[in-house]
Amino acid sequence: MSTTESDEQSGGTPPPTPDWAAVQASPDFQELRKRLRGFVFPVTAGFLAWYLLYVLLASFAPDFMAIPVAGNINLGLILGLLQFVSTFAITVVYIRFADRKLDPLSSKIRDEIEGAK
């Protein structure tokens, strides 16, 4: 059974398509974009700088990276493992940020769009 047939049988009409250009131009959507970009761009730049520092140290400061810390574990290994730790830390911070700053506003926008049906 097609959607049109099910709409005709239920007596309903298909919901109107939201005006996506108007949604995108709304102050709430602009605020959502501002909040997201305010978090994503600085964090991305910081992480890329941290990664680039690690690569440059590995390439141009092998003696520094070879400094032993404990047994066979050297500074290069610790800094490499910290790349993974920082990735997970960024994920945790982003989830908390999204829960507090992004999700309430995106829910409000979604409710407005769905309420317009």
Side-chain angles (χ1 to χ4, degrees):
M1 176 180 334
S2 71
T3 305
T4 306
E5 290 172 356
S6 65
D7 286 339
E8 289 171 1
Q9 288 178 356
S10 65
T13 59
T17 302
D19 181 2
W20 295 113
V23 171
Q24 186 176 5
S26 73
D28 285 339
F29 188 83
Q30 294 302 317
E31 178 63 24
L32 182 64
R33 286 179 54 177
K34 180 182 173 187
R35 290 179 188 181
L36 178 66
R37 289 177 176 177
F39 180 87
V40 170
F41 289 148
V43 171
T44 300
F47 181 78
L48 289 176
W50 158 234
Y51 179 73
L52 180 62
L53 175 67
Y54 175 74
V55 170
L56 291 174
L57 286 172
S59 298
F60 298 109
D63 294 336
F64 174 75
M65 297 292 269
I67 294 173
V69 175
N72 290 333
I73 299 173
N74 60 25
L75 195 56
L77 179 62
I78 291 174
L79 291 176
L81 292 174
L82 284 175
Q83 291 287 320
F84 292 102
V85 172
S86 63
T87 301
F88 290 115
I90 289 169
T91 302
V92 169
V93 170
Y94 175 77
I95 289 170
R96 290 181 181 167
F97 173 78
D99 284 345
R100 286 184 290 112
K101 301 288 185 176
L102 301 179
D103 291 348
L105 190 53
S106 65
S107 294
K108 178 183 174 191
I109 294 168
R110 183 179 53 247
D111 291 343
E112 289 172 1
I113 291 169
E114 291 174 352
K117 288 183 178 180

